[in-house]
Amino acid sequence: MPTLQELIRRAPWREAVTWRDTWPHEYVLVRRDNQRPLLEAICKRLNTGEGVDGQFYGRSSTYLFIGEHEYWVMTPCAEMDLDSEVDYVINRARLYRDRRDFVVE
């Protein structure tokens, strides 16, 4: 079983054009990019309490800090149905400021 860091390294991250100038980040699509193991590993860590709650332009998310990046999912893990046709999104952004400075308005 690959480690979370190996799954992250192997994922085909692509630049997100939304928020490019204000919050540059990358993403993968779970179904299209065959990243279910990565999603499951991230959700496992979030479900054990490793995440940090934060806000981004009024939207609440739980963020996971690994290495030089923060990771988040658009749909809370508890609400996902991995057997459905939904293509969930995993996002990541480089850390460039204090982890506690999380409210962006």
Side-chain angles (χ1 to χ4, degrees):
M1 180 78 175
T3 66
L4 176 55
Q5 288 77 4
E6 290 171 322
L7 293 169
I8 288 169
R9 189 174 51 255
R10 294 178 189 170
W13 299 100
R14 57 174 86 51
E15 179 190 12
V17 295
T18 56
W19 308 101
R20 178 183 282 159
D21 297 329
T22 56
W23 193 272
H25 65 285
E26 300 172 299
Y27 71 97
V28 293
L29 298 169
V30 174
R31 290 178 60 83
R32 184 183 306 168
D33 296 330
N34 197 27
Q35 295 301 306
R36 184 172 176 159
L38 175 58
L39 177 66
E40 289 173 341
I42 288 172
C43 284
K44 181 178 179 181
R45 301 276 289 266
L46 290 172
N47 290 337
T48 61
E50 289 188 46
V52 175
D53 292 333
Q55 293 257 328
F56 181 74
Y57 287 98
R59 179 182 166 88
S60 296
S61 289
T62 303
Y63 298 85
L64 183 63
F65 297 96
I66 302 170
E68 295 298 315
H69 290 89
E70 60 187 327
Y71 295 82
W72 70 98
V73 291
M74 300 302 294
T75 303
C77 295
E79 296 176 16
M80 292 181 184
D81 177 2
L82 297 180
D83 296 321
S84 73
E85 296 297 316
V86 175
D87 205 356
Y88 297 107
V89 177
I90 304 169
N91 295 286
R92 78 174 182 176
R94 281 199 155 281
L95 296 175
Y96 65 91
R97 48 199 248 189
D98 189 300
R99 292 181 182 183
R100 293 166 296 173
D101 185 15
F102 233 79
V103 177
V104 179
E105 297 181 41

